[in-house]
Amino acid sequence: MSYHLYSGDYYPPFPVAEIRLGTPGKETILGPLEALIDTGADATLIPLVYLNQVNAEEVDQAGMRSQWGERRVVSIYSVALEVDNHHFSVMWVVGDELGSEIVLGRNVLNRLRLLLDGPAGLVEVWETGGRPM
Amino acid sequence: MTTITLQPDLVEQVNQVAGITGIVDTEVLIGEAVREHLRRLRREKLKAEIAAFESMHANLKEQYLGQFVAIHNGEVIDSDVDFEAVFLRVQARLGHVPVLIRRVGAKPQMELRFRSPRLEWTEQ
């Protein structure tokens, strides 16, 4: 089990985890990078500047919609992703051409055991992984 | 490292553009240009595969609902409930050739929702 303090760069503080990225099917080479934990996001969002550094491969396009319906077309990439000690040799993620934040969405979060301890401002990442989403 | 010979007029253009953009290393500039071109070619191929996926969707739904399918040259070449398994098999077979890998859902298009609005505290 590993721990992370909520990020105080946000108000209210944001639960975060640490990730590393790599070329799909290989070891991770980039990181550690801070990632926001967001169960409201269907998918994981990673700035293109990081995906380009690890030669992530574009495999699809999708529509991405916000809470109030704004829609944009985004590209889906495959990448090797590590969240603390959980290694996913190939994971699909959304490439973010504009933003600089990494957002861990439910396609990754649903494969992890996490405890969000709000009052303590602490994220616990447990050892056991899950099945693919 | 592979050596590639460029035509003199192209070398001249590269040197001039490198000077304007402030990129000192022309190899970096050429590398970025090639990468960008490959990205565009990759996207064009994916768009064709997406069109094929959407035209086949009714049939795909009957056979592959809930699974990821890999579409190459307009045909299903692999499928699995696990994205990773499909990706690795396709990569072993075709290398870095662009192949569409999409989960077959109820609708042809993949639609993702981000439900986390952020507050922006305005100063009074």
Side-chain angles (χ1 to χ4, degrees):
Chain A
M1 184 166 49
S2 52
Y3 302 90
H4 298 284
L5 289 173
Y6 276 38
S7 172
D9 293 341
Y10 300 83
Y11 182 81
F14 217 122
V16 295
E18 213 164 66
I19 72 160
R20 295 176 64 85
L21 299 170
T23 305
K26 298 188 176 167
E27 290 301 309
T28 56
I29 53 170
L30 181 64
L33 302 163
E34 185 179 89
L36 305 174
I37 294 172
D38 183 357
T39 56
D42 286 353
T44 294
L45 198 62
I46 297 185
L48 221 47
V49 63
Y50 297 133
L51 295 177
N52 288 340
Q53 286 180 57
V54 297
N55 295 317
E57 292 189 8
E58 189 175 343
V59 292
D60 198 358
Q61 293 191 333
M64 189 172 118
R65 218 174 263 286
S66 76
Q67 177 77 355
W68 289 288
E70 300 98 316
R71 185 181 188 275
R72 66 167 57 225
V73 175
V74 292
S75 291
I76 307 292
Y77 293 80
S78 62
V79 69
L81 174 70
E82 203 173 295
V83 185
D84 287 281
N85 294 320
H86 300 274
H87 183 82
F88 306 106
S89 70
V90 184
M91 177 62 73
W92 64 271
V93 300
V94 175
D96 185 354
E97 294 180 5
L98 303 172
S100 57
E101 293 172 331
I102 297 171
V103 176
L104 281 178
R106 294 194 315 284
N107 70 316
V108 171
L109 296 176
N110 285 1
R111 297 180 63 174
L112 301 170
R113 294 185 69 203
L114 297 170
L115 176 67
L116 305 185
D117 186 343
L122 210 60
V123 177
E124 292 179 11
V125 185
W126 292 53
E127 294 300 330
T128 311
R131 279 311 303 152
M133 293 298 293
Chain B
M1 191 70 80
T2 305
T3 304
I4 297 172
T5 306
L6 300 176
Q7 292 174 340
D9 63 320
L10 185 55
V11 173
E12 190 182 337
Q13 283 184 53
V14 167
N15 287 332
Q16 286 176 359
V17 171
I20 293 167
T21 55
I23 300 174
V24 180
D25 190 343
T26 51
E27 277 186 23
V28 171
L29 180 71
I30 292 167
E32 281 178 9
V34 170
R35 233 185 286 273
E36 182 54 38
H37 187 61
L38 290 175
R39 214 182 338 261
R40 198 164 55 241
L41 291 177
R42 190 176 181 90
R43 194 160 286 181
E44 281 171 17
K45 164 105 168 29
L46 281 177
K47 281 186 175 168
E49 305 298 7
I50 287 169
F53 177 97
E54 291 177 358
S55 70
M56 295 187 290
H57 183 258
N59 292 333
L60 292 174
K61 212 164 69 166
E62 284 179 15
Q63 200 176 344
Y64 300 105
L65 187 65
Q67 293 187 51
F68 288 93
V69 292
I71 309 284
H72 177 51
N73 293 337
E75 293 180 358
V76 177
I77 59 164
D78 203 339
S79 66
D80 203 299
V81 290
D82 184 1
F83 174 83
E84 178 180 336
V86 175
F87 181 89
L88 290 174
R89 283 199 298 264
V90 168
Q91 193 183 53
R93 185 169 153 190
L94 296 171
H96 298 286
V97 171
V99 173
L100 174 73
I101 303 177
R102 180 178 287 189
R103 186 175 176 274
V104 180
K107 293 179 181 174
Q109 288 83 19
M110 185 180 181
E111 198 75 22
L112 299 168
R113 291 287 302 272
F114 287 73
R115 301 172 178 80
S116 307
R118 303 270 182 90
L119 282 174
E120 273 186 11
W121 302 93
T122 52
E123 303 215 359
Q124 299 296 318

